[in-house]
Amino acid sequence: MTFIPDLSTLLAFSLACFILTITPGPDMTLFLGRTLAGGRAAGIAAFAGASTGSLIHTTLAAVGLSALIAASPEAFFVLKIFGAGYLIFLAVQAIRSGSTFRVDTKGAPKPRSLKASWLTGIGINLSNPKIILFFVTFLPQFIQAGDPHAGAKLFFLGVYFIVFAAPFCVAMIFAADGLSAALRRRPKITRAIDWIFASVFSVFAVKILMTQGR
């Protein structure tokens, strides 16, 4: 199978995948927040959305469209503005409505729909220009220049990264779900978490605006 890199390359890429998976980012912030909001199902839905976005990025990178976006100052600028604006919107939403728990008039938690969590995961992932740079600058380092199967290998590595990250992310979701019941009994702590999530989204928005294209 010509699209599979050699073993040494795959091992080096696996180590890089592990480091990237445990490094906090907008996707991780979202699916952990959704887990605290609606339980593991909501967290997994948000993670599935982010993974769907990564799969779309993988496909675009394999056919060369991501490289065109990263190389175009105008397109990259628009994506940065959109991505940062979306994160700011989520930060404001966290303060106004609560990123963790929304309570109805009877005092029962009012969870977001799984579809909404999935779509939000896709939106955060697709609007993050740092992810485009990941696919057009990081992945090619594990493919030899002039490789006639470069596109297929790029797609394989992108899918491999998604599959590799899944068990680690699901474990984080289950761990966060274990804390949700205790947090429901402490509204002051959940409100503090809302501000923490808002702050994190805001920081990532600034980082996105500072991201430079190729």
Side-chain angles (χ1 to χ4, degrees):
M1 291 181 283
T2 56
F3 60 87
I4 299 180
D6 59 75
L7 181 59
S8 61
T9 299
L10 203 56
L11 290 176
F13 184 68
S14 297
L15 177 60
C17 286
F18 175 74
I19 295 173
L20 290 170
T21 298
I22 63 175
T23 301
D27 290 351
M28 182 187 294
T29 303
L30 176 70
F31 68 67
L32 291 181
R34 287 295 189 264
T35 301
L36 294 176
R40 68 184 63 170
I44 291 175
F47 168 68
S51 297
T52 302
S54 292
L55 184 59
I56 294 173
H57 276 301
T58 297
T59 303
L60 293 178
V63 299
L65 292 182
S66 293
L68 292 178
I69 294 175
S72 170
E74 295 79 11
F76 198 75
F77 176 76
V78 170
L79 186 63
K80 285 202 302 182
I81 296 300
F82 181 79
Y86 190 50
L87 288 177
I88 291 296
F89 166 75
L90 291 177
V92 173
Q93 186 183 55
I95 298 301
R96 295 183 59 185
S97 305
S99 62
T100 52
F101 300 110
R102 294 185 298 170
V103 180
D104 60 21
T105 55
K106 296 181 180 180
K110 184 180 179 182
R112 295 175 174 87
S113 69
L114 297 182
K115 181 180 179 180
S117 294
W118 179 70
L119 290 174
T120 303
I122 293 177
I124 280 188
N125 190 277
L126 290 182
S127 62
N128 188 350
K130 294 174 74 71
I131 297 180
I132 287 184
L133 291 181
F134 166 79
F135 282 102
V136 300
T137 62
F138 180 74
L139 291 188
Q141 297 180 35
F142 296 90
I143 300 174
Q144 294 183 353
D147 190 332
H149 307 289
K153 287 184 177 179
L154 194 63
F155 185 81
F156 172 83
L157 290 176
V159 173
Y160 180 86
F161 173 71
I162 297 171
V163 174
F164 183 92
F168 296 100
C169 293
V170 170
M172 288 185 242
I173 289 171
F174 273 68
D177 184 51
L179 297 174
S180 62
L183 291 175
R184 291 180 198 278
R185 299 190 293 269
R186 295 171 174 81
K188 290 185 177 180
I189 294 180
T190 60
R191 191 54 182 161
I193 292 176
D194 290 335
W195 281 93
I196 290 173
F197 278 124
S199 300
V200 171
F201 279 132
S202 298
V203 169
F204 285 127
V206 173
K207 292 180 69 174
I208 282 178
L209 289 175
M210 295 175 64
T211 301
Q212 300 296 319
R214 297 187 69 181

